[in-house]
Amino acid sequence: MVDPIEQFLKSTVISSPLKMRCVKASCLLAMALLHANKNPQLCLDKVALCLADFHKYPEELEKVCGALLPQGSQPQEAGQALLDKPLDWQCSWQQLRSIQCSEAVAILHSKTSNWTEDLMQDVADAIMLEDVLLVQKLEQEISEGEKALATFKVESKDENKGCNGVSNDAQTNGCVDEEVGEVKKSSDGGQQLDLTPSLLGTQTVSIGSDGNWATNDGAAAGQMPPAAAGIENLPPPPKQTPSFYMRFLEGKTDTVEAEKELQKLRWVLSKHPVDVPYPDLTSCCQTLLGVVLQHQLGNITAEEEEEGKKINFSKKLARFGYYKGVRTYQSFFLQHS
């Protein structure tokens, strides 16, 4: 029965986007029902695909989630609703996590959500998925890099340029400027150190053999900030990370460094497969932060803030979004971190 439904879905074209979404949803849910008893993961996979079609239409998504998951998307409740038997409360199937994300998107955009500390935490748990955010960040960086490479043109053939786009005189004087992670001569002859952390390697600061401070990155200069573990104890963000073009192509006479970076990012992405659909989780974090600020959730007492032992949830979420999320959202999170 599944094959005819798939063939029908592939061969059906309807001019109305809404009607097409409804037809596709009905086909996917029919396939989910057929798999419910023998293959529960495949059943949830079809439900996840169904809900993903409504991510950009939160009002429709809210109605579909309400019909499919009347008691919510926690493992036991979702299993009972979709499989006619509860799942183990520790179930962490990717398909279930995707369904929980979809429900969180519906709650985030619903006009009837009654925001409390508990609901805030439930939504945060559903969307703050570090492994998925890493994949989405890598995909965005690769896409941005490919576009930058496609439009890159050498601005001039200055004979005084080195192979990395820095003048030979500047290299001789030790005055190398690499947009991020730079060490430059200051006006008094000392060195100004950029403490912006790198994306993939651990950054340390130490005293060099010449007595000056120096950075020692595990990754090449010009990387994006690192993804520290968890939401707790993330430091204040340093600054907006420059674009891929600024980090790897601006002022360069070739694309060698940019191509190496893209090759590395593609390799890292290949090691983190995600086989089910998710919404844009950085955007979800941005929306949740707006809700938290609007409803003044997750605040701490003035005494705790003065002691510096805790920070309120909005700052934790802003720092999380900056370090874990897609680079293009950083300016927003910086404002609230």
Side-chain angles (χ1 to χ4, degrees):
M1 286 294 294
V2 173
D3 289 341
I5 297 175
E6 289 181 339
Q7 290 298 325
F8 170 78
L9 183 57
K10 290 178 181 179
S11 61
T12 301
V13 178
I14 301 176
S15 58
S16 168
L18 174 60
K19 291 181 180 179
M20 190 65 220
R21 285 195 298 276
C22 292
V23 169
K24 186 175 180 180
S26 62
C27 290
L28 289 169
L29 293 177
M31 288 188 280
L33 184 62
L34 293 172
H35 289 299
N37 291 327
K38 294 183 179 180
N39 195 333
Q41 269 192 281
L42 190 53
C43 169
L44 296 185
D45 183 74
K46 300 302 180 184
V47 175
L49 288 170
C50 167
L51 296 178
D53 272 347
F54 295 96
H55 284 165
K56 295 181 180 180
Y57 310 94
E59 291 184 1
E60 298 171 19
L61 179 62
E62 183 181 4
K63 294 177 182 178
V64 177
C65 284
L68 293 177
L69 305 161
Q71 302 300 319
S73 61
Q74 291 303 306
Q76 293 189 329
E77 290 78 3
Q80 190 64 50
L82 301 174
L83 304 170
D84 203 26
K85 57 183 178 182
L87 292 167
D88 185 90
W89 67 276
Q90 291 182 314
C91 179
S92 59
W93 289 345
Q94 284 278 353
Q95 294 85 355
L96 179 61
R97 294 208 302 165
S98 174
I99 292 170
Q100 291 170 337
C101 270
S102 295
E103 185 194 34
V105 170
I107 294 171
L108 274 172
H109 295 277
S110 175
K111 298 177 181 178
T112 61
S113 294
N114 182 23
W115 286 100
T116 63
E117 299 277 336
D118 289 339
L119 181 60
M120 173 196 75
Q121 194 59 58
D122 288 342
V123 172
D125 290 342
I127 64 174
M128 296 171 69
L129 305 178
E130 295 185 39
D131 56 338
V132 181
L133 278 162
L134 173 61
V135 169
Q136 294 182 348
K137 177 191 285 191
L138 289 168
E139 290 174 340
Q140 187 277 333
E141 181 75 355
I142 291 169
S143 175
E144 181 184 337
E146 289 174 343
K147 291 177 182 177
L149 272 176
T151 57
F152 175 72
K153 293 181 181 179
V154 179
E155 295 180 1
S156 63
K157 295 182 179 179
D158 189 344
E159 294 181 356
N160 195 38
K161 291 283 185 179
C163 64
N164 63 352
V166 180
S167 69
N168 291 324
D169 291 340
Q171 293 183 45
T172 303
N173 295 331
C175 188
V176 179
D177 183 352
E178 297 277 2
E179 291 83 13
V180 180
E182 56 194 348
V183 177
K184 297 188 288 187
K185 293 286 184 180
S186 62
S187 57
D188 60 359
Q191 288 186 323
Q192 293 179 337
L193 181 67
D194 188 343
L195 296 178
T196 304
S198 58
L199 173 65
L200 299 176
T202 302
Q203 182 187 52
T204 59
V205 180
S206 59
I207 297 178
S209 58
D210 59 355
N212 293 316
W213 287 106
T215 54
N216 179 19
D217 283 344
Q223 298 298 336
M224 294 169 67
I231 187 174
E232 301 293 340
N233 303 319
L234 289 172
K239 62 181 181 180
Q240 172 78 35
T241 304
S243 66
F244 186 95
Y245 175 83
M246 291 178 66
R247 284 179 282 135
F248 297 103
L249 291 170
E250 187 176 54
K252 306 296 174 67
T253 58
D254 57 54
T255 61
V256 173
E257 288 185 33
E259 289 171 353
K260 285 182 178 179
E261 177 68 8
L262 279 178
Q263 185 178 15
K264 178 182 65 181
L265 292 174
R266 293 188 188 106
W267 181 84
V268 175
L269 180 61
S270 71
K271 301 299 180 182
H272 297 81
V274 174
D275 300 322
V276 292
Y278 286 93
D280 181 344
L281 296 187
T282 312
S283 176
C284 291
C285 288
Q286 181 186 43
T287 304
L288 177 59
L289 180 54
V291 170
V292 170
L293 293 170
Q294 178 184 351
H295 294 275
Q296 298 183 350
L297 300 171
N299 290 332
I300 59 175
T301 64
E303 292 78 9
E304 289 175 322
E305 190 169 7
E306 286 179 3
E307 291 174 0
K309 294 180 179 179
K310 293 183 179 180
I311 60 174
N312 58 42
F313 185 80
S314 63
K315 286 187 178 180
K316 290 182 182 180
L317 180 57
R319 294 179 185 185
F320 179 91
Y322 173 91
Y323 283 107
K324 313 285 185 172
V326 172
R327 184 193 65 81
T328 51
Y329 290 86
Q330 283 183 351
S331 59
F332 173 82
F333 291 120
L334 275 169
Q335 298 173 29
H336 304 284
S337 59

